[in-house]
């Protein structure tokens, strides 16, 4: 694992401003040469207790967890069983500040993001200057940078989509955010796109961005993976760019709605976490067909193990 700023990881793991979160300040006492390894182990231990995102600090780590997802018993037990000798970890827990974490970024907007001259993502609020006349243009009015293509995981999923034949295909976008992945899929020829997100604002943002791009075949649902029980039919391609724990939990639901010869594209996790994803996939008769990495982030493609 590697360290990340509060900005990038809160975006990555969907720390929405309306949710109630707690922040834990983990203080790690150890030799300086062991600090990063200890941070990684603390993040793994806290992840099993419900934590979603982390920020390096000079003395250790900050972690963010939803109020109703925190398991203090698991956290305490995991920290007591730290495998490194001469390392001690203490922590304090308090309510996270209730604010829009992306306010400053939203004011500044973002520069066009060129993905292999195949797709260029523009800030819909800014005057456009054509970056590549041959690339597919996508216009996003984003409330969070993670939904623009700025993040490695978004770029990798888009890159994978551009190398697929989506003409006439049915695509599912899990945790759609700004709708960027579904919009790209539609523009690449998908016949129908269905997206869902637990954040009601993201549902509205996806609808708005679809309209901005002239995409009229994208349906957006509000909720988590349970909404798939109300969706008819199966999908040729399922994309999910969300955190590791949710991917592992929801993978059976993705498989349930996957066409026999379909493809699942997953990102939002470190390459070090790929074995956990693959182990879960194997239990569902899904096998890795391709992999891409960027800065230790990973994108896995899975299909039915024939």
């Amino acid at each position: 694992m590697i360290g990340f700023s509060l900005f990038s990881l809160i975006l990555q793991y969907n720390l929405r401003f309306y949710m109630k979160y707690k922040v834990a300040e983990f203080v790690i006492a150890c030799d300086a040469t062991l600090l990063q390894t200890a941070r990684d182990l603390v993040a793994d231990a806290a992840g099993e207790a419900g934590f979603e995102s982390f920020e390096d600090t000079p003395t250790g780590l900050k972690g963010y967890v939803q109020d109703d997802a925190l398991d203090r018993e698991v956290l305490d037990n995991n920290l007591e069983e730290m495998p490194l000798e001469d390392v001690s970890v203490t922590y304090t827990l308090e309510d996270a500040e209730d604010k829009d974490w992306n306010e400053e970024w939203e004011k500044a907007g973002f520069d066009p993001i060129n993905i292999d001259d195949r797709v260029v993502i523009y800030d819909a609020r800014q005057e456009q200057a054509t970056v590549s006349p041959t690339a597919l243009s996508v216009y996003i009015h984003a409330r969070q940078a993670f939904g623009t293509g700025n993040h490695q995981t978004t770029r990798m999923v888009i890159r994978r989509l551009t190398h697929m034949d989506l003409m006439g295909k049915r695509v599912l976008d899990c945790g759609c955010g700004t709708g960027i992945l579904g919009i790209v899929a539609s523009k690449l020829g998908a016949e129908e796109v269905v997206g869902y997100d637990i954040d009601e604002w993201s549902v509205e943002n996806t609808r708005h961005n679809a309209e901005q791009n002239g995409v009229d075949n994208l349906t957006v649902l509000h909720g988590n993976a349970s909404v798939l029980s109300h969706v008819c039919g199966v999908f040729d391609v399922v994309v999910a760019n969300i955190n590791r724990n949710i991917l592992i939990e929801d993978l059976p639901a993705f498989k349930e709605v996957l066409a026999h010869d379909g493809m699942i594209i997953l990102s939002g996790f470190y390459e070090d976490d790929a074995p956990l994803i693959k182990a879960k996939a194997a239990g569902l008769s899904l096998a890795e067909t391709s992999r891409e990495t960027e800065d230790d982030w990973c994108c896995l493609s899975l299909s039915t193990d024939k």
Side-chain angles (χ1 to χ4, degrees), residues 77-306:
N77 288 340
N78 285 353
L79 293 178
E80 286 179 7
E81 297 173 1
M82 285 283 288
L84 293 178
E85 293 185 4
D86 300 321
V87 173
S88 66
V89 182
T90 58
Y91 71 92
T92 57
L93 193 67
E94 59 185 32
D95 291 337
E97 186 177 358
D98 189 14
K99 68 176 183 178
D100 185 346
W101 299 95
N102 302 301
E103 181 178 1
E104 292 305 313
W105 180 87
E106 291 168 21
K107 291 177 181 177
F110 64 93
D111 293 330
I113 300 161
N114 189 335
I115 302 175
D116 302 339
D117 271 343
R118 292 173 178 263
V119 174
V120 178
I121 301 139
Y122 297 93
D123 187 336
R125 298 162 296 181
Q126 296 182 354
E127 185 176 348
Q128 307 305 331
T130 302
V131 172
S132 172
T134 61
L136 192 70
S137 297
V138 177
Y139 303 94
I140 296 295
H141 182 171
R143 192 179 177 90
Q144 52 175 325
F146 184 71
T148 65
N150 265 314
H151 199 275
Q152 297 92 323
T153 58
T154 310
R155 293 197 298 269
M156 287 190 291
V157 176
I158 290 175
R159 187 174 293 116
R160 184 71 185 93
L161 290 173
T162 63
H163 287 86
M164 299 176 69
D165 179 9
L166 296 181
M167 293 300 297
K169 299 294 178 65
R170 195 166 188 240
V171 177
L172 174 66
D173 182 4
C174 309
C176 54
T178 62
I180 187 170
L181 299 180
I183 290 167
V184 168
S186 176
K187 290 198 168 195
L188 288 171
E191 181 176 343
E192 181 186 2
V193 181
V194 175
Y196 69 85
D197 200 294
I198 195 171
D199 182 352
E200 188 172 0
W201 196 98
S202 291
V203 171
E204 294 305 318
N205 191 213
T206 293
R207 289 172 178 154
H208 172 74
N209 286 327
E211 183 177 352
Q212 291 265 100
N213 287 273
V215 169
D216 59 6
N217 64 342
L218 197 165
T219 301
V220 196
L221 306 173
H222 179 215
N224 58 23
S226 64
V227 302
L228 297 178
S229 63
H230 305 295
V231 176
C232 296
V234 294
F235 295 88
D236 303 290
V237 180
V238 175
V239 296
N241 186 19
I242 43 187
N243 77 63
R244 180 198 72 182
N245 292 341
I246 294 177
L247 289 177
I248 290 173
E249 180 180 350
D250 291 350
L251 195 53
F254 302 162
K255 170 66 183 304
E256 188 70 22
V257 297
L258 184 69
H260 176 68
D261 57 350
M263 178 77 67
I264 298 177
I265 303 171
L266 303 178
S267 196
F269 54 91
Y270 305 118
E271 187 172 22
D272 286 348
D273 293 327
L276 294 174
I277 305 288
K278 290 184 62 178
K280 182 69 174 183
L284 298 167
S285 298
L286 293 169
E288 177 182 348
T289 58
S290 69
R291 176 184 302 205
E292 184 173 348
T293 60
E294 185 177 342
D295 298 331
D296 290 332
W297 292 98
C298 185
C299 177
L300 284 180
S301 295
L302 306 170
S303 64
T304 303
D305 188 7
K306 299 179 176 63

Side-chain angles (χ1 to χ4, degrees), residues 21-26 51 63-67 70-72 75-76 90-96:
Y21 272 74
K22 289 190 179 298
V23 56
E25 178 90 29
F26 296 98
F51 282 75
Y64 297 83
V65 60
Q66 289 187 49
D67 271 350
L70 174 61
D71 190 325
R72 289 288 296 272
L75 177 63
D76 292 340
T90 58
Y91 71 92
T92 57
L93 193 67
E94 59 185 32
D95 291 337

